[in-house]
Amino acid sequence: MFCSLLVCKLTLRPSPAFESMQKKDVKKRIKLLIKAIDKHRYEYHVLNKQSISDEALDSLKHELAQLEEQYPEFAAKNSPTQRVAGNALTKFVKVVHEVVQYSFYDIFSPEELEQWQERNLRYLEKQGGLRSTFEYICELKIDGLHVILTYEHGSLQLGATRGDGKVGEDVTQNVKTIESIPLVIPLKKKMLIEGEIFMSKKSFAALNKKQADEGKELFANPRNTAAGAVRQLDPQLVANRKLDCFVYDISGGEVMQKTQKHELTQLHTLGFKVNKHYRLCKTLHEVVDFWKHWQTAKKREDYWIDGVVVKVNEVSLQKQLGVVGKAPRWAIAFKFPAEQKTTVVEDVRFQVGRTGALTPVAHLAPVNIVGSTVSRATLHNMDEIQRLGLKIGDSVVLQKAGDIIPDIVTVLTELRTGNEKDIQTPKKCPICGFEVFQKPDEVALYCSNLKCYAQEKEKIIHFVSNKGFDIVGMGKRVVEIFLDEGIISDVADIFLLKIGDIASLKGFGEKSAQKLIDSIARAQKISLPRFLYSLGIRHVGEQTAYALAHAFGTLERVTTADLEHLRSVPDVGKVVAASIHNFFLQKENRELLKNLQKSGVVILEEMQPLRSEMFGKSFVLTGTLEKLTRDQASAEIRARGGTVGSSLSSKTDYLVVGNDPGSKFDKAQQLGVKILNEQAFFEILNSGA
Ligand code: ZN
């Protein structure tokens, strides 16, 4: 959809089709092309419909660019080819607004809303206009950047920022890159139109993904990112940010409507992108309902909403009510509940991301913001820590805007006791212990072990898998999210997770967070063989883990066993014994065992009674059992000291046969291996237990 016209121009070649074209035909063709391109732009960017492919549209744009290049006399100033055109500016020109740009007062509660109406009714009464109520238009308050668009003779002349309300900056060149803003409109009268430039959630996520892939720092806040983009001097950079714009007001010019609702309708008719979720409310009750509804419904939209703007619908009443101080009386910003809270930074730890970058993460005393508990906040990098002047133990102001990850905005230094600790720049990776280094021109620190993140991720996935700790609901995706968000950096961290760490993450809510916390709690007690398996010791699979557990009985004895003793265990050869021995010799593994115990993991060391008939016997399974999956049946056998193999030999003691057995059934008969059907298998399973 976004043909880079700068590139198109470089590759211009006169097309033979044009050479035979008459000049007046060219003029006509240019006009038609502009119309067609604009139609498809409108359908795609305003109506969210797509009727021709990106490639086809690019091709039309390309043809237009070629014709305009060859016949500059026909090139229109507001041609679609001019959306990303012009050179980078050295600075923005100031513009004096024709209509002073007021901002709205904020309110946060239904009581304040009622007081606002009361004040307005009294004010009108004093003016001799007695009323008992108003009609209101409620609009979603998009969290973006205010823009004032001026159209003259049906064409966009100026795009300006609010600035101080009286003087803003001319950002026309950048505004033109926003495809949902029409360059031409079917009305020749002068119009001043106000709107909000924003970045969609999708574009923001895509931008951050790109930043991450390139190992660059992530943008923390879409509003600031959009605002920063609008103030970029190079329009090509602005176009890359994929901004969008809702308009909602006709504030000046030659067109005047009777009501705010009429204004919205007219703007829509003229081809502007108007947010469709506005509502005409006859009572304050309806206003409050709308406000309440959007506190949760806002999550479904692809842009951030931080409240509802309530406007008196009738324009004549708006005029009567006028302005008080720096804000109009006739409108108010009914913000969603407060999004800042204070809390204490209990610790700062470093997390290693996919790119190997180390990110400091603040561990907070849990606090509830906008309905979810928060106990972590990213600090981005050491520069941010310095900028905040943050120390461990500090009281801080925490902010959560929309669905965005919470951010520490200020340190309350006046609450310091003198016991706060400085945050040290790490010299070694907290996960693998490799050296940490800094790339030139980057603030981030990196682990020098290229495999650091991937290794840790695999370790954790193995640890929580169904043959290990079996933490239900903690799959690969969740492990990745937890690592990326820095809420875990090793397996021991899993058991320290609180609801607040999870609930504010993307894709989670309070309920799903609680569910996962419950399943982690359930997994905290674990049998010795499962525990040994989960450690991911090289060459130690499920079977070896069971064999070790049977032979030694306690974790302590496994970890202190010498090579000879390890080798005496059935199923453990020279290589496996060495691997186990080495694992428990390593300092970081001993640390890990300690940390796991500290974080509440309990190993159930009593094994099944050894008198089970299965003890020491070898089994092979074939066909489908009705009461157990094959994995479950294998686990039951191993828990009783039996082994499970995959292929039959004369040494196999039993073949367990379910429905639809394969060729193993015949082979077992040839080899003289005892065959058990499901019922017989359960009899042995339950014997002596
Ligand atoms: Zn590392």
Side-chain angles (χ1 to χ4, degrees), residues 436-591:
V436 160
F437 71 99
Q438 208 162 359
K439 292 183 186 170
D441 307 324
E442 269 195 56
V443 277
L445 297 166
Y446 286 87
C447 169
S448 54
N449 173 7
L450 292 175
K451 289 186 189 151
C452 184
Y453 174 87
Q455 279 176 359
E456 197 56 33
K457 187 179 91 180
E458 291 312 317
K459 253 194 238 169
I460 296 172
I461 291 170
H462 178 85
F463 186 84
V464 301
S465 67
N466 61 350
K467 290 178 185 172
F469 270 77
D470 193 18
I471 298 177
V472 179
M474 197 162 169
K476 185 166 167 256
R477 268 286 296 147
V478 174
V479 170
E480 279 171 5
I481 294 170
F482 285 6
L483 278 172
D484 289 349
E485 298 294 351
I487 68 167
I488 57 172
S489 56
D490 66 27
V491 292
D493 286 346
I494 295 169
F495 301 98
L496 300 175
L497 286 171
K498 294 181 232 117
I499 291 183
D501 303 335
I502 304 168
S504 62
L505 297 181
K506 219 181 159 154
F508 279 95
E510 208 81 358
K511 264 190 205 159
S512 50
Q514 180 67 58
K515 229 172 136 187
L516 186 53
I517 292 288
D518 289 346
S519 98
I520 291 170
R522 273 197 303 276
Q524 219 153 5
K525 284 185 185 149
I526 187 170
S527 70
L528 180 58
R530 273 178 180 276
F531 181 80
L532 289 170
Y533 172 84
S534 76
L535 292 174
I537 305 165
R538 209 155 168 243
H539 305 302
V540 177
E542 205 184 4
Q543 193 128 308
T544 312
Y546 275 97
L548 288 169
H550 272 292
F552 295 100
T554 69
L555 177 65
E556 173 71 21
R557 279 192 236 141
V558 182
T559 61
T560 52
D562 58 21
L563 273 173
E564 202 183 334
H565 199 169
L566 285 167
R567 282 192 63 181
S568 71
V569 176
D571 212 35
V572 174
K574 195 174 157 192
V575 176
V576 184
S579 168
I580 299 165
H581 193 63
N582 274 336
F583 183 90
F584 292 113
L585 274 182
Q586 279 172 33
K587 200 176 134 227
E588 58 265 33
N589 293 332
R590 289 177 166 280
E591 278 296 296

Side-chain angles (χ1 to χ4, degrees), residues 352 429 431-432 447 449 452:
V352 180
C429 171
I431 286 178
C432 69
C447 169
N449 173 7
C452 184

